[in-house]
Amino acid sequence: MKGIDPWDVKEVKDYNELMKTLGVDSFSNYIKKLKDAPIEIRRGLVLGHKDFSKIYESIAKKKKFAILTGLMPSGTFHFGHMSVISQVIYYQKLGAKIYLLAADLEAELVRNIKEKDAKKIALEEYLLNYLALGLKSKNLEFYFQTTGPKKFKEYSNLSKLASAKTTFNEVKAIYGEITPQKLISSLTQAADIIYPQLEGISTTLTPVGFDQLPHANFSRDIASRMNFSLPCFTFHKLIPGLQGPNTKMSSSKPESYISFDDSEKEVERKIKKYAFSGGKATLAEHKKHGGNPDIDISFLWLKYLFEDNDKKLNEIHADYKSGSLLTGELKEILIEKINAFLNQHRRNREKSRKELNKFNLQ
Ligand code: TRP
């Protein structure tokens, strides 16, 4: 698909343009309508959707709906993974049944990560952190692609039967030239996305990053040809990596992210050394002309992750722009916020360990 490869994620420069050319609807009308939404939704990280009106109606009329989403367990859990899970927790509170999967099959097929290692990462890095962030084990089904959900046989057959509902031409139009193992991953993902319907829940939402858009289209095509309901999607942009507004956090590049295991000192070091600044080159210039908060990573992380209070965020924005707030000071605000969050999170995580054992997963 033009400009999007789900296995080689590039930061998108112009999301509005992308949405226009690829037929994704704007999410902006829903932002104000959703009550008590997480910061990722309120501050506009979730930009696009397909058929969200069905989900909105289910919420308003208290009708049954499910969330299904997943992550490829490929490395440490970092703040780039927050946007998905915050949304999942939000919808769980609204009563949705949650299906969460770890794409260990995809990790082995396309990243060459062995199943055993992928599972360990999925449990220790992902599921444990999800629980510590507030995901509840009630009304949740967590599964691995290799061992499948409760109805494993149907799930496994679904991913294979889906192959009869597409053609190489369509696959090429959606994904470009792909390898057989990527095609298997796509068919498996389509089965993931349709799976809640096998358990009788026909209204489903899959929150994902924009990079997953080809999978969204593929699974919707297959769903309609197999007489399932069309799965709904929301698409969020990526929280930028430390190197700048158009970079991404990448598991293979520790200087691009803050991980949930980084110590206080490491957080301080990384932010001071790497967080891209929108400030001016010299102190005098900065004080005179002010900085640009909208390209400054410290500001953007406060906006999308840590500063919940709109008034405070606006003040920081104005002060940085006027030059009265210096880059070093802005970084200090962020460092303090991250460390306060992580200290609390680490305490929560110890409590969540017991809960993790209850899952009894192999
Ligand atoms: N492809 C996704 C990733 O790279 C993982 C995934 C597999 C997924 N199945 C899914 C995401 C179903 C959403 C829904 O992270």
Side-chain angles (χ1 to χ4, degrees):
M1 183 178 283
K2 232 192 324 169
I4 302 188
D5 176 350
W7 296 284
D8 182 16
V9 183
K10 302 242 182 347
E11 184 50 41
V12 175
K13 293 257 154 55
D14 188 344
Y15 280 100
N16 289 328
E17 182 61 34
L18 182 86
M19 296 209 297
K20 242 191 265 158
T21 48
L22 298 179
V24 176
D25 294 324
S26 165
F27 195 72
S28 61
N29 286 340
Y30 290 107
I31 298 179
K32 286 237 155 55
K33 287 190 187 168
L34 293 170
K35 291 207 180 61
D36 303 317
I39 193 165
E40 290 81 359
I41 290 182
R42 285 201 299 114
R43 297 266 167 77
L45 212 57
V46 179
L47 270 185
H49 75 92
K50 283 184 188 276
D51 279 347
F52 190 79
S53 62
K54 286 204 262 177
I55 302 301
Y56 186 72
E57 191 189 304
S58 299
I59 296 171
K61 298 194 174 148
K62 302 211 178 317
K63 286 196 288 193
K64 206 168 170 178
F65 71 107
I67 302 295
L68 177 130
T69 193
L71 282 172
M72 183 150 45
S74 60
T76 47
F77 193 79
H78 56 63
F79 283 104
H81 300 118
M82 279 283 277
S83 358
V84 168
I85 198 62
S86 299
Q87 293 175 68
V88 169
I89 291 168
Y90 171 63
Y91 292 117
Q92 186 179 44
K93 281 191 193 136
L94 289 175
K97 164 102 197 248
I98 307 295
Y99 295 87
L100 259 185
L101 68 104
D104 57 343
L105 180 68
E106 184 179 8
E108 175 143 14
L109 287 174
V110 305
R111 298 272 184 264
N112 208 9
I113 300 173
K114 292 278 163 263
E115 182 186 332
K116 199 165 130 273
D117 298 328
K119 285 196 154 102
K120 188 160 182 267
I121 296 172
L123 292 177
E124 285 288 317
E125 289 290 334
Y126 291 61
L127 186 54
L128 180 61
N129 282 308
Y130 293 168
L131 296 169
L133 287 168
L135 184 73
K136 299 281 179 267
S137 51
K138 202 175 152 233
N139 229 2
L140 163 71
E141 175 159 8
F142 178 87
Y143 70 90
F144 295 110
Q145 283 181 325
T146 53
T147 39
K150 207 159 51 206
K151 295 192 170 177
F152 178 62
K153 187 177 142 225
E154 289 88 337
Y155 164 76
S156 168
N157 286 338
L158 181 59
S159 67
K160 292 164 190 145
L161 294 171
S163 68
K165 304 293 173 185
T166 187
T167 61
F168 276 126
N169 275 343
E170 182 186 49
V171 169
K172 195 170 171 193
I174 293 182
Y175 295 101
E177 295 283 352
I178 56 170
T179 58
Q181 61 265 43
K182 284 182 179 169
L183 180 55
I184 295 283
S185 298
S186 302
L187 292 165
T188 307
Q189 182 150 345
D192 289 326
I193 291 165
I194 294 168
Y195 179 71
Q197 299 195 43
L198 297 183
E199 292 203 339
I201 309 179
S202 60
T203 308
T204 71
L205 172 69
T206 295
V208 280
F210 268 97
D211 57 296
Q212 301 291 303
L213 183 57
H215 292 309
N217 290 348
F218 191 54
S219 64
R220 280 165 65 90
D221 286 350
I222 285 176
S224 78
R225 292 173 199 143
M226 295 180 97
N227 294 323
F228 289 106
S229 300
L230 284 182
C232 313
F233 288 83
T234 57
F235 303 99
H236 55 265
K237 43 181 191 173
L238 300 181
I239 297 173
L242 289 176
Q243 275 67 41
N246 288 322
T247 68
K248 60 167 188 155
M249 290 184 240
S250 158
S251 294
S252 58
K253 239 176 103 188
E255 69 275 18
S256 70
Y257 60 76
I258 300 287
S259 107
F260 277 45
D261 296 315
D262 283 343
S263 66
E264 288 198 18
K265 279 235 139 45
E266 184 65 355
V267 169
E268 185 178 350
R269 188 186 74 83
K270 279 191 182 174
I271 297 300
K272 285 191 172 159
K273 183 157 181 200
Y274 299 119
F276 179 83
S277 162
K280 292 285 184 303
T282 68
L283 197 65
E285 248 184 280
H286 186 87
K287 281 189 172 162
K288 190 163 170 213
H289 301 291
N292 181 358
D294 300 314
I295 59 164
D296 186 288
I297 289 304
S298 302
F299 179 78
L300 292 174
W301 279 31
L302 288 170
K303 176 176 172 183
Y304 291 130
L305 289 164
F306 297 107
E307 185 48 81
D308 223 20
N309 184 315
D310 290 343
K311 194 165 158 267
K312 277 198 192 154
L313 189 78
N314 289 340
E315 269 168 28
I316 293 172
H317 191 270
D319 290 349
Y320 197 65
K321 217 171 165 176
S322 77
S324 67
L325 184 70
L326 306 178
T327 295
E329 292 167 337
L330 178 58
K331 288 194 174 191
E332 282 301 336
I333 299 175
L334 179 67
I335 291 166
E336 219 170 276
K337 283 272 184 191
I338 297 178
N339 280 331
F341 175 92
L342 285 180
N343 284 331
Q344 179 62 47
H345 183 77
R346 283 188 270 258
R347 284 195 289 276
N348 295 347
R349 202 156 56 179
E350 285 324 299
K351 287 184 212 141
S352 300
R353 267 195 190 281
K354 280 194 213 103
E355 199 138 354
L356 184 65
N357 296 333
K358 281 197 233 153
F359 279 82
N360 208 3
L361 290 157
Q362 18 50 32

